[in-house]
Amino acid sequence: MNAFRPAGLFLFRRVPAPLYELKASNFVPCADLYHSLNAHLVATVRTMDGLTKHQSHSQCIAVLKTSEDPKLRQSTFTALNEYYSQNAYLYASIFNMLTGFRLKGFEFAEMDFMAPAYWQNAVSSEAVDALMTAVRANRHMLRKSVISRALFTGKSVMEVWDLNAPAPLRREIHIPYEEALEKIKEVGKVLDECIPETFDLFVEKGWVEVRQLPGKQNGAFFQGILSLNEPRIFSTYLGSFASMSQQAIMYGHAWHFWLQRGLPAQERKIPRALMEVAGHFFALLLFEEIQAKAASAEEKLEALWQELTFISNYVINMGVRFDFERSFFEERKKGVVSVTKISNLLSEAWQAWYGESTAGVDPYLWINRGQFYKIDDYFYNYPYIFGTVCAYGLSEIRHRMPEVFPKIYSEFLQNSGRMSVDDLFKKFFKVDITQPEFWESGLKAMERKIAVFETEARKYSEKSVPENS
């Protein structure tokens, strides 16, 4: 079987030498400039208790993801946007430079700007079009993942700074990392009985970094080191449900990489779209496990809340980013794009995806998300939508044929560097991802899960009302 070799690897074979020099002198430093700008931020914020705090950029991002203090989330969001507003022209200059350089390369190579993004993910444009068509047709349903959470808090719409907030049920939730890892290992056993000892090996070898350290960037990142046959998970674990699901995604990536360890290096290039499938499928298994074995109504509702946050983040929010980035590329072809125009493009994309589910927009999403400033990747958005909808679609297949699914799925992941994503789905699951059926099955599964949350939230709210009220 021949390894799949994306044509995008040869993007610059006809590009004049000066463009290579410009890449080293102008393109590559852009990412450093972006991170340097972020590093200069010191946000003054207030807590619900009236205390004043000073936070770094990474601390601000962590607050918006995990803090149970609504005042702290709001003041953090405000402080971030004040800084972004003051420096928007600098961020816009970096964004324009990165995209302008890419467009010049595509012009010399005589190709559409989307082509390398598809090749990089080893997926056809027809498959991505089918995915996005199905998702766009279901935006009204998907918005319920936002609206139903807002209604549970007594609001008709969700404040933007609350989009990633934890479920407002219990105070001071902290899940020790050891406990989170045990849950992740347990869910992994439905795919492979050896997963618990494999994940223990990753930890024993020091391949997993989760500590909270001063100045350390928040979030989670995975890297597979081909020369050493070793996976690496770099993250900051914060003890929340969100952090635990994020770890499940990272271990899904690591297991995917581990499955390929016996293959030749040229057959181990995992397309990002499939990397996200492996990660998000693992997170979905975790959600199912916690909900099935929840010891209380609160625990089940918290897991459902996090799953709806997962859906809105990786489908709705990524839809905003995908449409915005496409619009920005089109505008950049005409010339330098102003801050005002960038903001308008973002607002249009936000409205198209979130509709009336949020109170306003996240005006500086185009600054806040570092994926827009990566130099080794671009359109780092639709692979997440692909991975999420695929995870739900594959979950439907798993429940239909639980006995044979683990073997088929592991072989599917193991061979992910050997052929295109389209061909992998045809070979192992008899699915044509250029057609709507598979995507619609995943979206219907999401719709059912949103309905479960609405039912559980209603039951919980009714029990919380005193009988004599």
Side-chain angles (χ1 to χ4, degrees):
M1 190 179 296
N2 292 326
F4 179 86
R5 302 182 69 185
L9 295 176
F10 307 107
L11 175 60
F12 293 112
R13 62 182 176 185
R14 291 188 289 151
V15 175
L19 202 56
Y20 285 108
E21 296 170 7
L22 283 172
K23 180 178 181 181
S25 61
N26 292 276
F27 181 76
V28 174
C30 283
D32 291 335
L33 286 172
Y34 171 76
H35 291 298
S36 178
L37 265 176
N38 288 343
H40 281 83
L41 178 145
V42 179
T44 301
V45 299
R46 294 186 69 82
T47 69
M48 197 163 55
D49 298 327
L51 300 177
T52 298
K53 297 174 61 177
H54 301 290
Q55 297 176 162
S56 67
H57 185 268
S58 63
Q59 288 171 329
C60 287
I61 302 303
V63 162
L64 292 174
K65 288 182 178 180
T66 64
S67 176
E68 296 176 345
D69 184 333
K71 180 63 177 178
L72 180 58
R73 292 196 302 270
Q74 181 179 4
S75 63
T76 295
F77 181 80
T78 300
L80 269 177
N81 284 344
E82 286 176 354
Y83 182 80
Y84 292 152
S85 176
Q86 294 166 5
N87 296 281
Y89 70 99
L90 292 173
Y91 286 104
S93 296
I94 297 170
F95 198 14
N96 272 285
M97 189 179 295
L98 285 168
T99 306
F101 179 86
R102 285 190 168 108
L103 285 171
K104 183 57 66 175
F106 302 151
E107 179 185 328
F108 278 118
E110 299 177 357
M111 61 173 59
D112 179 78
F113 64 75
M114 286 301 303
Y118 295 140
W119 287 330
Q120 191 173 32
N121 283 284
V123 67
S124 70
S125 60
E126 291 81 5
V128 177
D129 288 345
L131 163 66
M132 297 308 298
T133 297
V135 172
R136 287 191 176 97
N138 283 273
R139 282 186 289 201
H140 180 74
M141 175 276 291
L142 290 164
R143 287 171 192 153
K144 292 181 181 179
S145 66
V146 178
I147 295 171
S148 60
R149 286 183 293 133
L151 291 173
F152 183 68
T153 65
K155 300 177 181 178
S156 59
V157 295
M158 184 76 81
E159 298 289 353
V160 176
W161 53 81
D162 288 337
L163 281 170
N164 293 295
L169 295 172
R170 297 184 302 196
R171 304 292 295 168
E172 303 298 329
I173 297 172
H174 183 81
I175 306 165
Y177 187 76
E178 294 75 14
E179 180 183 331
L181 182 56
E182 285 303 314
K183 288 182 183 293
I184 292 169
K185 290 191 298 185
E186 185 64 26
V187 302
K189 287 165 65 176
V190 305
L191 299 176
D192 187 337
E193 287 289 337
C194 295
I195 277 181
E197 62 187 68
T198 300
F199 290 179
D200 284 338
L201 175 68
F202 295 167
V203 174
E204 290 166 9
K205 291 288 188 179
W207 298 342
V208 181
E209 168 56 64
V210 300
R211 293 172 297 172
Q212 297 182 45
L213 300 172
K216 182 179 176 183
Q217 186 174 350
N218 283 298
F221 312 90
F222 171 79
Q223 183 177 359
I225 304 176
L226 289 174
S227 60
L228 299 176
N229 278 333
E230 296 176 1
R232 292 288 191 276
I233 294 173
F234 303 95
S235 62
T236 300
Y237 180 73
L238 300 171
S240 64
F241 265 81
S243 275
M244 182 164 61
S245 62
Q246 189 178 62
Q247 287 299 303
I249 292 172
M250 292 299 107
Y251 276 97
H253 294 332
W255 184 61
H256 187 182
F257 178 84
W258 192 249
L259 283 172
Q260 294 188 329
R261 64 191 183 281
L263 299 177
Q266 68 269 22
E267 296 181 8
R268 299 183 64 190
K269 300 292 185 182
I270 302 174
R272 184 163 297 283
L274 285 186
M275 185 180 292
E276 300 309 334
V277 170
H280 290 200
F281 187 73
F282 228 96
L284 188 52
L285 290 175
L286 178 66
F287 294 140
E288 291 181 356
E289 174 76 6
I290 294 173
Q291 290 159 29
K293 297 182 178 179
S296 65
E298 288 86 355
E299 186 178 359
K300 182 175 183 179
L301 201 50
E302 283 163 354
L304 282 163
W305 174 287
Q306 184 55 39
E307 185 170 354
L308 265 61
T309 303
F310 175 84
I311 291 171
S312 65
N313 276 350
Y314 288 119
V315 183
I316 301 177
N317 201 273
M318 289 298 170
V320 173
R321 300 187 212 181
F322 179 69
D323 284 357
F324 163 74
E325 193 164 5
R326 287 193 68 149
S327 298
F328 182 81
F329 266 70
E330 292 291 354
E331 288 296 322
R332 186 65 182 88
K333 285 196 275 187
K334 305 171 190 175
V336 174
V337 189
S338 68
V339 171
T340 299
K341 183 62 178 177
I342 294 174
S343 297
N344 289 341
L345 293 175
L346 191 281
S347 294
E348 290 168 8
W350 185 280
Q351 183 61 37
W353 284 88
Y354 279 100
E356 301 304 317
S357 65
T358 61
V361 307
D362 187 349
Y364 295 107
L365 181 73
W366 62 275
I367 295 176
N368 186 263
R369 296 301 182 262
Q371 288 95 333
F372 291 126
Y373 300 85
K374 290 172 65 68
I375 60 171
D376 59 345
D377 214 336
Y378 76 116
F379 281 95
Y380 196 144
N381 34 55
Y382 78 82
Y384 288 108
I385 305 173
F386 189 103
T388 306
V389 182
C390 264
Y392 280 89
L394 291 176
S395 181
E396 292 293 284
I397 295 174
R398 182 176 81 89
H399 289 303
R400 288 201 303 268
M401 46 185 215
E403 296 82 7
V404 298
F405 181 86
K407 183 176 187 299
I408 297 172
Y409 181 64
S410 63
E411 290 179 354
F412 165 79
L413 294 181
Q414 187 178 40
N415 285 277
S416 58
R418 291 177 159 181
M419 61 186 80
S420 72
V421 174
D422 299 47
D423 289 341
L424 280 162
F425 274 90
K426 286 180 182 177
K427 177 178 174 62
F428 292 99
F429 295 110
K430 308 299 186 283
V431 167
D432 183 354
I433 60 173
T434 66
Q435 299 303 309
E437 290 78 11
F438 175 69
W439 306 115
E440 289 171 355
S441 71
L443 289 161
K444 285 189 180 299
M446 291 182 192
E447 185 174 20
R448 289 194 296 273
K449 194 52 71 79
I450 292 170
V452 172
F453 173 82
E454 291 172 336
T455 299
E456 294 295 326
R458 193 179 308 113
K459 288 193 297 186
Y460 182 84
S461 297
E462 290 170 354
K463 287 181 180 179
S464 300
V465 177
E467 292 182 2
N468 61 353
S469 62

